[in-house]
Amino acid sequence: SSAGNLVIGTSGKGIDFSATSGTGTSELFSDYEEGSWTVTVATGSVTGATTAKYIKCGTSVTVWVEGISFSDITSAADITIGGLPFTAAQSGQGSIICSYVGASSPNTVNAGGTTVKLYSSFISGAFSAVQHSAFNSTANQLYFTVTYQST
C-alpha cells in the first residue's frame, strides 16, 4: 500500500544515505524525536508557566524554553538550569532573550551534562556566569534556545 509511515523495526537501523557522495563518517539517519522536558533549577524553584520542548535529530539536540521565572532572585548562586532531555557530549552554545534582568544580562548559554548555565560578557569580552540576583523582579522571564550534541 502507498499509504502509511515508514517504520524501522530494529533499534540502530535507519535510512542509509551512503549511496550519496560525501566524506562523512556516518550516512545513516537512525534517530528522530520531538517532545517536552521538565525544567529544574539548582537554586530555588521555577515558577510561572514554562514551556520546554526539544527536537533530537541523530545526535543533534535543540531545546528551547519559554517563560522561566525564578523564585530566588537574591542568591549569589549561578543560574543552572537542569533537566535537559539528553546528556550533552560536550559544551554547546545558544542564544537568550530575557526581561526584567539587571546589568549582567545573559547573552549566551552553555550546555554540558544535563544542565544549562547562563553567561554574560561585557566590553572586556570576558564571560562570567549570571547569578540569580541579576533578575530584579519575581516577574522575570527567561527564554532561550540551545543546540548541542548528545552522547
Side-chain angles (χ1 to χ4, degrees), residues 103-147:
S104 61
S105 181
N107 55 23
T108 188
V109 295
N110 189 22
T114 57
T115 63
V116 172
K117 280 191 115 171
L118 310 181
Y119 291 89
S120 65
S121 88
F122 297 100
I123 296 169
S124 67
F127 283 98
S128 60
V130 176
Q131 299 176 339
H132 283 262
S133 58
F135 286 83
N136 55 18
S137 167
T138 55
N140 58 57
Q141 294 271 303
L142 173 65
Y143 299 77
F144 71 85
T145 301
V146 64
T147 298

Side-chain angles (χ1 to χ4, degrees), residues 14-75:
I15 301 170
D16 188 343
F17 292 98
S18 62
T20 62
S21 61
T23 58
T25 58
S26 176
E27 294 186 8
L28 182 67
F29 179 65
S30 61
D31 191 7
Y32 179 85
E33 183 177 330
E34 294 182 22
S36 299
W37 58 287
T38 302
V39 175
T40 62
V41 287
T43 302
S45 61
V46 174
T47 61
T50 301
T51 300
K53 301 214 180 239
Y54 71 89
I55 295 176
K56 182 175 189 281
C57 186
T59 60
S60 180
V61 180
T62 299
V63 297
W64 63 95
V65 175
E66 299 176 1
I68 294 178
S69 296
F70 301 103
S71 65
D72 174 12
I73 61 167
T74 60
S75 171

